[in-house]
Amino acid sequence: MSMLLTGATLIDGLGGDPTANSAVVVTDDRITAVGSTADAPADADLVDLSGLTLLPGLIDAHVHMGHASEMRAVLNNELSVAERAADIFRTLRQTVEAGFTAVRDCGGIDHGILRTVGKGMVPGPRLWASASPLVQCGGHGHLGSPFQAPDESFAFRVRGLTAVGRISDGRDEVRKAARECFRQGATFLKMAVTGGVVSIADDLDDTQFSIEEIAVAVEEANARHTYVTVHAHNKYGIQNAVKAGVKCVEHGTGIDEATAAQMAAAGVALVPTLAIAQVLTDDFDAHGLPPQIRERVCGTMEGMVEAIRLATAAGIPVGSGSDLIGPKQDRRGLELALKAKVLGPMGAIQSATSVNAEIMRVADKIGSVEVGKFADVIAVDFDPLTEPELFDDPSRVRLVVKGGKVVKDTRK
């Protein structure tokens, strides 16, 4: 099966100038030519994209597909497995139709979802997942009431569907938990090394896990030829993680100049998550979170914006992640709109395409419109360089192609 995409203005995801009236040839699931129609087979399907902008499929490097239901209802065991599965499948479909053809799930799904989407049984983006985040007892990711025994709070885990934080105290427990994550289908490890916004029994200023414990997770990831990323807000937790050998930091609200320099020297990337900070600020009650969490949201946006500036100045790769949770995860494009105010529109696009692909170690497969890459492309009906705020409207994504197959087409 071949396809010839013509007429669009091409933004290739690598930061170069847009190319007007572009041509992209797709054969089976790969891009086989860019800029010329000469290599298109005679029987190729012609897709006229005149008036549209063609981009690589977007990548969200911080999602929680398994947390697609109302959180309070999940914690109180008020939802059936069928309802939770329906919420997950709906969110997967919404994500790919919004133009995000690939995501990195930082905790919430296991092998069952990976296989279901991978086999094409339900529509969704390409998935790279951490399965169960590694958390310490009482730390970020240890959900549930403090009046429950530690393991009781994870009664809402559903094997084959969802993966929740694994309590891992001490080097031996961290090692066992890391190995279990890979058994659940993890392609990288996620670890919480500071308190979090959506936490029950900690503060943002708390550090979690020792350097030695984090290093065990790094050792296990290295053995699998992959990496560890950490949920981290304050600079002390970030510095501990960098010393232990992690390769990516999520959020990073407390990064200062010295911490940025330390990250840069160690080759550590940053994935800020501006969208969730904005959404929680605008409509906290819609997420069904405990009321005490509301005050923690304050200041996180400003902290991450400053972290982006410091990281950029230090030469740190800055990726793009939305971190949306709950049943309304239809604003992933808000992350690009917000990042465009800090990085500029082209920088925001790169962060959600080629930079994310590099961070996720899949740049040989996705992240740019280049020969040999998977044919994951989207077409939008606006100019992303002058109106990046329109990424926040999924209806403006008119065409989505994943692996050479059209999964959405609303062109007139």
Side-chain angles (χ1 to χ4, degrees), residues 9 40 59 81-82 193 196 226 297 308 311 346 369:
T9 296
I59 305 169
V81 173
V193 301
T226 187
V297 178
I308 292 171
M346 185 64 82
V369 180

Side-chain angles (χ1 to χ4, degrees), residues 8 49 52-55 377-381 396-400:
L49 300 178
L52 303 179
T53 302
L54 187 67
L55 303 103
V377 296
I378 66 171
V380 300
D381 65 0
R396 306 302 293 267
V397 178
R398 296 297 189 178
L399 178 75
V400 178

Side-chain angles (χ1 to χ4, degrees), residues 134-136 138-142 192 194-199 202 208 231 251:
L134 306 187
V135 305
Q136 72 174 39
H140 179 68
H142 188 171
T194 75
V197 175
V198 184
S199 287
D202 62 27
Q208 297 169 6
H231 158 100
H251 317 303

Side-chain angles (χ1 to χ4, degrees), residues 1-205:
M1 177 180 174
S2 299
M3 187 184 307
L4 173 59
L5 308 171
T6 64
T9 296
L10 174 64
I11 296 177
D12 63 11
L14 299 172
D17 292 335
T19 303
N21 196 28
S22 64
V24 175
V25 179
V26 173
T27 303
D28 296 324
D29 65 346
R30 301 281 175 166
I31 296 170
T32 52
V34 178
S36 171
T37 62
D39 296 324
D43 62 349
D45 292 334
L46 179 63
V47 181
D48 184 0
L49 300 178
S50 298
L52 303 179
T53 302
L54 187 67
L55 303 103
L58 302 176
I59 305 169
D60 191 333
H62 192 124
V63 307
H64 294 289
M65 293 294 175
H67 299 313
S69 300
E70 202 267 347
M71 289 296 292
R72 190 173 297 167
V74 172
L75 292 173
N76 293 336
N77 287 313
E78 296 171 359
L79 295 176
S80 66
V81 173
E83 290 167 308
R84 293 176 62 189
D87 284 338
I88 292 171
F89 295 150
R90 182 198 67 248
T91 301
L92 287 163
R93 182 182 66 254
Q94 287 177 339
T95 297
V96 72
E97 290 182 353
F100 289 86
T101 55
V103 299
R104 184 180 64 156
D105 192 288
C106 288
I109 57 173
D110 73 2
H111 221 332
I113 296 295
L114 301 178
R115 288 171 57 181
T116 301
V117 177
K119 291 179 178 179
M121 298 171 69
V122 297
R126 300 183 190 277
L127 292 166
W128 283 266
S130 67
S132 297
L134 306 187
V135 305
Q136 72 174 39
C137 187
H140 179 68
H142 188 171
L143 302 174
S145 168
F147 303 111
Q148 295 175 304
D151 290 333
E152 282 183 46
S153 61
F154 298 113
F156 52 85
R157 175 191 290 128
V158 181
R159 285 279 185 180
L161 185 71
T162 65
V164 298
R166 292 189 61 86
I167 302 172
S168 315
D169 293 320
R171 291 169 54 89
D172 290 344
E173 287 189 8
V174 169
R175 191 178 303 279
K176 184 174 182 179
R179 292 173 178 176
E180 174 61 13
C181 286
F182 289 121
R183 180 171 171 263
Q184 289 178 286
T187 49
F188 67 99
L189 296 178
K190 160 84 176 299
M191 200 171 198
V193 301
T194 75
V197 175
V198 184
S199 287
I200 305 298
D202 62 27
D203 294 315
L204 292 176
D205 290 338

